[in-house]
Amino acid sequence: MENKVLYVRLPCNPIFPIGVVYLADHVHKLFPKVEQRIFDLGAVPPLDYRTALDNCIDKFRPNLLVFSWRDIQIYAPVGGRGGNPLQNAFEFYYAKNPLIKLRGAVGGLRLAASYYTELWRNIGLIKQGLKRAKVYRPETRAVIGGGAVSVFYEQLGRSLPTGTIVSVGEGEVLLERLILGEDFRDQRCYVVGETSPRDRLIHEKPAPIEKTACDYDYINSIWPEFVYYLQDQDFYIGVQTKRGCPHNCCYCVYTVIEGKQVRINPADEVVAEMKQLYARGIRNFWFTDAQFIPARKYIDDAVELLQKILDAGMDDIYWAAYIRADNLTPQLCELMAKTGMNYFEIGITSGSQELVRKMRMGYNLRVVLENCRDLKAAGFNDLVSVNYSFNVIDETYETIRQTIAYHRELEKIFGAEKVEPAIFFIGLQPHTHLEDYAFEKDILKPGYDPMSLMPWTARKLLWNPEPLGSFFGEVCLEAWQRNPNDFGREVMAILEEKLGCAELNEALSAPIVSEKNQKHLARVN
């Protein structure tokens, strides 16, 4: 019988499901006769999940089910499952008022209940879908992949049906092999109940695939929910311009999931893809790369892309991305402003060059400031989100003062109302340098469950260790009390009230750290 592939995007926030879209496009280009269907549970009301999934399988009758699971870990400073997870945790762990502590405990219980309910629900949907599909085609196989799976692939396998193929990272070649009936076990995957994940599976290199423009006429024909993402003109549609990240930031798992080899999508193909979306009325684009300009060697590629966007006549678009601002040039800044960049995020983590170096982020904070001035001079006058992750490694009161000084300088450049400090506390993830550091410092023990939300585990995974953990907890609690709608700016204000502000030059200089002091962060390559 013919191959029929059903992509099931498991429920998550309404974010454009670019992963399954690109997979379906890739398969269609290689196997145009293979029938495919995208079924997006993100566009289905929760009470209808099970019925809608059954109805879709009954009509389509696939022999290959590809489940995409985007989110699991929930440590974030924003509203989510049942409330603000960071606020719940900090109220429970750090509040002195017993009523506030109780509120945090109740919020945490709701959060935990919601979290585990989602886990069981998604696993249940996978089992339900596979069982239903086997009624029509007993040979049906299930593949599960996506961001959540790539991080927690070892833990998830314990709950999935025997025979499920767990895919880590990119899955194009894996699907090719499955459709052709060829052996696939050399890919970044394992089969539940039949094989175990290879040691360091996530660190294996992804296949070097050159991407061409997504065929959105075809995608529209196999994805009835596509129109859902075209209705709101404020919605950003994802477009990928490259894969891979060459950096070693101590807490980030991108560099192992996508690989260190940066693979550039040809600019003509990216523009051709954008033009298809543009013709459908899309004017807001999000470049979904790990970093839009990951290193200086890729500046010319970014220049080429932005110039071709201008040449294509798309002069009324807006776009946003994660950007390493140390890689900007005056030419690139001008093109960014001309092509409509209206928002970008800088994940500098700290405004202290000393800590940036210790976290292996590769930033020169002085260069970042110089380039931000060039961007402002080029006409950029929109929002900048600056991600700060306090208390990651060797934070002190002095490095906090340096971060305040750095942030105030960014405000001078762009305007205080345009610079939004996003305050994060790292959710420790497997396969990162920070996990190695936690093992070395006896903060975590090998064999711990990174998916656990039990208080004794969650407090360690929500990275805010003493001696400064309680201090940051109290500062954040005060910020939520004073101005919950502008949490980030309030945190910076309270920190400055309590600690003062360093001289900017202190933030921009860093002592040379000896190799001995750095070796605990140098294991994972």
Side-chain angles (χ1 to χ4, degrees):
M1 294 180 68
E2 74 281 3
N3 283 300
K4 300 181 75 173
V5 184
L6 176 63
Y7 301 88
V8 180
R9 203 259 193 121
L10 293 169
C12 72
N13 291 331
I15 297 170
F16 190 70
I18 195 168
V20 292
V21 167
Y22 281 178
L23 276 176
D25 177 68
H26 178 81
V27 168
H28 178 63
K29 286 167 179 169
L30 291 180
F31 310 102
K33 293 184 179 179
V34 170
E35 287 190 65
Q36 299 188 99
R37 165 82 156 82
I38 296 174
F39 179 57
D40 182 10
L41 282 165
V44 174
L47 292 178
D48 296 336
Y49 288 158
R50 297 176 68 87
T51 302
L53 179 59
D54 279 347
N55 290 341
C56 180
I57 290 172
D58 290 344
K59 292 177 182 177
F60 189 66
R61 301 188 179 186
N63 71 317
L64 183 57
L65 280 166
V66 181
F67 291 93
S68 175
W69 193 338
R70 185 182 191 277
D71 295 318
I72 286 183
Q73 200 175 55
I74 54 173
Y75 304 117
V78 295
R81 302 171 176 91
N84 184 320
L86 185 66
Q87 184 173 358
N88 289 335
F90 275 30
E91 286 181 348
F92 177 67
Y93 293 133
Y94 302 116
K96 295 177 180 177
N97 184 322
L99 293 177
I100 299 296
K101 186 177 286 288
L102 177 62
R103 183 175 71 183
V106 171
L109 286 172
R110 289 177 182 156
L111 180 66
S114 178
Y115 168 74
Y116 284 112
T117 297
E118 286 189 23
L119 283 180
W120 298 328
R121 180 203 64 204
N122 284 3
I123 290 169
L125 288 168
I126 293 166
K127 292 178 178 178
Q128 172 191 329
L130 182 58
K131 182 179 178 180
R132 191 79 168 195
K134 283 179 176 286
V135 169
Y136 303 103
R137 302 186 65 170
E139 78 278 13
T140 299
R141 302 206 70 166
V143 178
I144 178 170
V149 177
S150 294
V151 176
F152 301 106
Y153 64 93
E154 295 164 301
Q155 292 75 30
L156 282 173
R158 303 167 191 162
S159 305
L160 296 170
T162 298
T164 301
I165 301 166
V166 180
S167 174
V168 175
E170 299 154 19
E172 284 93 341
V173 176
L174 172 60
L175 291 189
E176 291 176 30
R177 300 276 183 85
L178 286 167
I179 290 169
L180 291 169
E182 297 178 351
D183 183 62
F184 58 84
R185 304 200 185 206
D186 62 333
Q187 295 302 298
R188 298 167 84 193
C189 68
Y190 70 98
V191 182
V192 175
E194 298 177 18
T195 60
S196 298
R198 294 186 294 273
D199 184 41
R200 293 172 60 82
L201 173 63
I202 196 172
H203 296 282
E204 296 177 6
K205 292 182 179 179
I209 293 174
E210 183 173 287
K211 185 170 177 317
T212 56
C214 182
D215 181 353
Y216 272 104
D217 285 336
Y218 173 72
I219 295 299
N220 186 55
S221 72
I222 66 167
W223 183 23
E225 297 86 8
F226 182 34
V227 68
Y228 172 83
Y229 295 93
L230 306 182
Q231 294 171 348
D232 189 344
Q233 293 302 307
D234 292 332
F235 203 89
Y236 282 81
I237 299 295
V239 174
Q240 191 175 59
T241 79
K242 66 186 67 64
R243 292 179 177 181
C245 181
H247 298 285
N248 290 301
C249 303
C250 70
Y251 52 81
C252 184
V253 77
Y254 264 117
T255 189
V256 287
I257 292 177
E258 293 196 359
K260 289 184 178 296
Q261 182 63 47
V262 176
R263 291 152 289 155
I264 303 292
N265 296 337
D268 288 333
E269 298 294 333
V270 176
V271 172
E273 182 172 316
M274 293 176 69
K275 287 173 69 176
Q276 294 179 65
L277 293 166
Y278 185 88
R280 288 173 166 79
I282 296 301
R283 295 296 182 268
N284 296 328
F285 296 90
W286 180 277
F287 293 131
T288 63
D289 318 356
Q291 297 284 349
F292 181 61
I293 318 163
R296 296 194 69 80
K297 65 185 289 187
Y298 303 108
I299 290 174
D300 289 345
D301 297 289
V303 167
E304 179 189 9
L305 173 61
L306 296 181
Q307 186 60 55
K308 287 185 173 180
I309 288 173
L310 277 182
D311 295 343
M314 293 184 286
D315 56 4
D316 58 341
I317 67 169
Y318 296 100
W319 63 270
Y322 294 102
I323 290 177
R324 285 186 65 98
D326 54 332
N327 296 323
L328 301 182
T329 64
Q331 180 190 17
L332 197 47
C333 290
E334 288 184 14
L335 282 169
M336 287 174 163
K338 286 181 180 178
T339 51
M341 184 178 76
N342 67 336
Y343 171 80
F344 71 99
E345 295 191 18
I346 311 176
I348 63 172
T349 299
S350 173
S352 166
Q353 187 66 55
E354 177 184 353
L355 293 195
V356 167
R357 181 176 291 169
K358 286 184 177 181
M359 288 183 285
R360 304 182 61 177
M361 299 190 69
Y363 270 114
N364 183 314
L365 291 177
R366 190 183 301 274
V367 173
V368 171
L369 288 180
E370 292 170 357
N371 293 348
C372 284
R373 294 186 185 104
D374 287 342
L375 188 58
K376 178 66 176 179
F380 178 79
N381 194 36
D382 289 288
L383 187 64
V384 182
S385 178
V386 188
N387 297 343
Y388 295 110
S389 300
F390 285 112
N391 207 18
V392 177
I393 291 176
D394 293 346
E395 186 85 83
T396 65
Y397 291 133
E398 185 54 39
T399 59
I400 298 169
R401 284 191 284 267
Q402 292 171 10
T403 295
I404 295 166
Y406 195 84
H407 186 73
R408 297 307 180 212
E409 187 64 21
L410 284 173
E411 289 181 332
K412 290 178 184 176
I413 294 171
F414 293 111
E417 74 285 355
K418 299 292 187 180
V419 183
E420 181 179 85
I423 309 300
F424 288 84
F425 288 82
I426 296 298
L428 189 146
Q429 293 182 319
H431 322 296
T432 60
H433 301 295
L434 191 59
E435 184 188 52
D436 273 4
Y437 178 81
F439 289 151
E440 187 168 307
K441 298 297 183 181
D442 280 333
I443 296 170
L444 290 172
K445 301 292 184 184
Y448 79 103
D449 183 1
M451 292 177 63
S452 172
L453 209 64
M454 294 299 101
W456 48 88
T457 303
R459 185 163 192 173
K460 296 176 180 179
L461 298 184
L462 178 54
W463 189 271
N464 187 35
E466 299 298 343
L468 289 180
S470 298
F471 169 76
F472 279 116
E474 292 170 6
V475 167
C476 290
L477 290 175
E478 185 176 348
W480 277 307
Q481 185 178 22
R482 280 172 38 167
N483 192 356
N485 295 322
D486 202 357
F487 172 71
R489 289 188 177 90
E490 202 62 43
V491 166
M492 300 302 284
I494 294 169
L495 287 173
E496 187 167 8
E497 290 168 13
K498 290 180 177 291
L499 302 177
C501 181
E503 293 294 325
L504 181 60
N505 281 336
E506 296 176 22
L508 301 180
S509 60
I512 299 298
V513 181
S514 71
E515 183 178 345
K516 179 180 178 181
N517 291 334
Q518 276 290 290
K519 68 179 182 180
H520 58 257
L521 288 178
R523 286 190 196 155
V524 182
N525 295 315

